[in-house]
Amino acid sequence: MIKDAKRKKVTILLPAYNEEASFPLIKENMTKVMAENPDYDWEFLLVNDGSRDNTLQQMIKLHNEDPEHWSYIDLSRNYGKEVAMMAGFDYAEGDGLIIMDSDMQHPINVIPEMLKYWEEGYDDVYARRKSSKESWMKRKSSQLYYRLLQKMTHVPIQKDTGDFRLLDRSCVEALKQLRESERNTKGLYSWIGFKKHGIEYEQLARQEGETKWRFMQLVELAVNGLTSYTVAPLRISTVLGLCVSLLAFIYLVYIVVRTTLFGDPVAGFPTIMVTILFLGGVQLLSLGIIGEYLGKVFTETKGRPGYFISSYNGKKRKE
Ligand code: UDP
Ligand code: MG
């Protein structure tokens, strides 16, 4: 193959946490990608997100076998997929960047289609899951979540899409500037804008190992998604507080009038309890919501770098 100055380079970013078992498949798939798309230069950028198994050793092996195409970043600990991707954005060399899961749940056969739309001028070709093999509960809750998010924000959000997408360099440069440490990258893709196009794909079953998400992590991601986009929940607490106070005031007037006219034959213990508990609940909710945002301000004002790396062996120098 002749090296052509105009040839574009595409980086495939593979964040991995305890994925040692997936490496034979990763190697097989990436070799295929390279063979089937010879018009591009390929870089496979692995990010080891503090794995406890032999993931790093596997990465080193791949790099040593073919240093031209394989590089890796070894993060100093487990930061979570969102931050692992941020590190990937910083070090990716390509004119385009494709993000894939290391468990190879994302089929490589949609890559040519992504490249096609990229060549047509789209900056963000995102893949939408066609049929999801997830449980009914997970599906329904994600549906509800998207609808809620969409109602509360003015940024259009792509449904049923994850991180599997091709980003143009312009998007990557934009994402690199968004340095918040509690990240919801799915929201950031929408926030930065640029020309988007969706394609469909069938999610494959996880081949090796098990899913790395715990339920609480998903809840955290969802809350992060809401609070990093919009202050609408703060408004909810204001409105709720206002309504409750108004109702309480009307009730108060009613009680005063009734007591003056008819006296107070029985002490109103139940009503008092209900009122106190209800108001207490609303206050706690509002405090919680404010707390979520305050917590965000706290973590962001510390201004810590998003991650530290133990080693990196590609060519890119971080600006
Ligand atoms: N992952 C990561 N850090 C983490 C958790 C996950 O880099 O702390 C990676 C993981 O190795 C995989 C991708 O993120 O490549 C998606 O994770 P997983 O397959 O467990 O999620 P699911 O497909 O179940 O949503
Ligand atoms: Mg997976």
Side-chain angles (χ1 to χ4, degrees):
M1 236 181 300
I2 321 151
K3 273 252 179 215
D4 182 346
K6 265 191 279 172
R7 274 169 73 87
K8 286 185 180 168
K9 188 171 206 166
V10 183
T11 300
I12 295 194
L13 170 61
L14 296 154
Y17 175 56
N18 294 347
E19 299 280 4
E20 61 174 358
S22 304
F23 274 79
L25 194 62
I26 294 178
K27 188 180 172 188
E28 188 192 317
N29 277 354
M30 294 306 123
T31 314
K32 233 187 263 170
V33 168
M34 220 172 351
E36 287 169 4
N37 304 282
D39 297 337
Y40 297 90
D41 286 331
W42 291 94
E43 180 203 15
F44 307 113
L45 178 59
L46 303 154
V47 182
N48 177 30
D49 186 19
S51 303
R52 290 168 205 279
D53 62 1
N54 285 323
T55 299
L56 180 64
Q57 282 72 16
Q58 297 284 348
M59 290 180 177
I60 296 173
K61 201 169 137 238
L62 281 175
H63 172 73
N64 288 340
E65 283 170 13
D66 183 3
E68 194 54 43
H69 292 110
W70 294 87
S71 42
Y72 64 80
I73 303 169
D74 182 28
L75 297 180
S76 60
R77 65 169 170 90
N78 177 248
Y79 288 92
K81 187 190 177 190
E82 308 289 319
V83 172
M85 287 193 297
M86 169 157 105
F89 297 151
D90 289 340
Y91 287 91
E93 294 169 21
D95 306 298
L97 173 77
I98 299 176
I99 309 163
M100 290 181 92
D101 278 1
S102 301
D103 56 4
M104 295 284 109
Q105 275 187 295
H106 299 149
I108 50 168
N109 57 17
V110 299
I111 289 180
E113 201 183 343
M114 284 180 164
L115 293 168
K116 192 188 101 201
Y117 284 109
W118 182 40
E119 293 294 349
E120 282 179 15
Y122 289 101
D123 301 307
D124 177 358
V125 187
Y126 60 89
R128 192 186 300 123
R129 280 188 297 275
K130 209 188 304 180
S131 67
S132 166
K133 291 190 182 65
E134 274 148 2
S135 68
W136 184 86
M137 255 302 278
K138 202 170 168 188
R139 233 178 26 238
K140 278 286 162 211
S141 53
S142 101
Q143 231 174 47
L144 193 75
Y145 174 64
Y146 275 110
R147 205 169 303 156
L148 191 74
L149 201 58
Q150 191 65 87
K151 277 255 159 63
M152 287 191 181
T153 62
H154 301 297
V155 188
I157 291 147
Q158 288 81 39
K159 227 182 114 223
D160 277 338
T161 58
D163 299 309
F164 185 27
R165 57 182 69 223
L166 188 156
L167 297 169
D168 184 66
R169 177 62 25 204
S170 50
C171 292
V172 177
E173 289 304 322
L175 287 169
K176 272 163 74 174
Q177 292 180 37
L178 309 181
R179 306 305 294 183
E180 55 241 63
S181 50
E182 277 178 25
R183 297 171 76 80
N184 181 282
T185 319
K186 283 182 198 61
L188 302 184
Y189 301 127
S190 308
W191 192 84
I192 57 168
F194 290 98
K195 246 178 106 185
K196 294 182 192 303
H197 184 80
I199 57 175
E200 296 212 315
Y201 79 101
E202 198 109 26
Q203 174 126 322
L204 306 173
R206 184 180 245 285
Q207 298 296 311
E208 304 290 344
E210 55 184 43
T211 177
K212 308 295 184 300
W213 290 105
R214 301 277 161 272
F215 177 71
M216 280 318 285
Q217 269 181 306
L218 284 176
V219 172
E220 200 184 316
L221 198 71
V223 173
N224 258 342
L226 273 177
T227 49
S228 58
Y229 254 118
T230 160
V231 287
L234 279 177
R235 208 165 308 140
I236 295 180
S237 74
T238 318
V239 172
L240 210 64
L242 217 67
C243 290
V244 171
S245 318
L246 196 71
L247 285 178
F249 182 72
I250 293 170
Y251 189 57
L252 182 115
V253 172
Y254 166 73
I255 295 278
V256 168
V257 171
R258 201 185 66 173
T259 316
T260 350
L261 292 184
F262 309 107
D264 192 9
V266 208
F269 180 70
T271 35
I272 288 176
M273 272 319 275
V274 166
T275 318
I276 291 176
L277 286 177
F278 185 57
L279 275 179
V282 171
Q283 279 171 353
L284 281 179
L285 176 76
S286 312
L287 278 178
I289 294 172
I290 296 170
E292 287 288 335
Y293 285 96
L294 196 62
K296 272 214 145 50
V297 173
F298 174 63
T299 36
E300 299 306 336
T301 47
K302 280 187 284 191
R304 289 185 183 164
Y307 58 88
F308 287 106
I309 58 175
S310 301
S311 63
Y312 165 66
N313 59 10
K315 298 185 205 79
K316 182 110 175 177
R317 289 290 147 256
K318 202 180 150 193
E319 308 91 63

